[in-house]
Amino acid sequence: MAFVRWFLGRIILLLNFIFSPRSVKRPADAQAKIDQRTQNMSLYQFEACPFCVKVRRAMKRNALSIELRDAKNDNTHRTALQNEGGRVKVPCLRIEKEDGSVQWMYESKEIIAYLENEVVAA
């Protein structure tokens, strides 16, 4: 079963590479504002997870610069996800708010909707 998961993961990554979406082009000042909004965000993810790929594709499509944290291979990130987020489930968007509070968002559809409505459209 491990081989099947590994093999399917590689197919997902290959297809993502071949059919990678194009990033939206914005004026430099508009892109700088969006980069400012995403600087306190990080995405905890597994490289070959299909839901993580879905979120990363949305990030690329919207030209969002969000730090990627590998929770599968990096024990520090995995521990932070478990201890601070409450569970090891990916994708997980960590949002550090201006008041210092931290929000952990786990569902791919919810993450994409948040990024498109609160970051891109704001």
Side-chain angles (χ1 to χ4, degrees):
M1 189 59 157
F3 175 76
V4 172
R5 290 178 117 190
W6 176 85
F7 184 73
L8 289 176
R10 297 300 159 229
I11 290 174
I12 289 169
L13 291 174
L14 176 65
L15 291 174
N16 182 51
F17 177 75
I18 293 171
F19 300 107
S20 183
R22 292 183 187 203
S23 296
V24 67
K25 303 290 183 211
R26 294 185 187 90
D29 60 329
Q31 185 64 47
K33 286 179 185 177
I34 288 179
D35 290 343
Q36 176 78 26
R37 285 185 218 128
T38 62
Q39 76 179 10
N40 293 325
M41 294 181 186
S42 51
L43 182 70
Y44 288 80
Q45 48 100 36
F46 296 167
E47 183 184 30
C49 164
F51 298 105
C52 298
V53 170
K54 181 179 176 180
V55 173
R56 289 194 312 262
R57 289 175 66 84
M59 288 168 43
K60 179 158 171 65
R61 215 178 9 262
N62 290 299
L64 302 177
S65 177
I66 297 174
E67 178 187 359
L68 298 177
R69 296 184 175 177
D70 186 354
K72 186 172 186 175
N73 299 314
D74 188 324
N75 214 19
T76 306
H77 295 317
R78 185 180 191 90
T79 303
L81 184 59
Q82 174 69 49
N83 295 342
E84 297 174 36
R87 56 187 166 165
V88 178
K89 180 181 174 191
V90 292
C92 180
L93 183 65
R94 181 183 185 275
I95 307 162
E96 190 172 332
K97 309 249 179 178
E98 289 180 17
D99 64 2
S101 64
V102 176
Q103 178 182 359
W104 296 82
M105 192 176 295
Y106 280 96
E107 297 298 322
S108 60
K109 286 182 182 180
E110 188 178 320
I111 293 169
I112 292 168
Y114 175 82
L115 293 175
E116 290 177 349
N117 296 327
E118 301 296 325
V119 176
V120 176

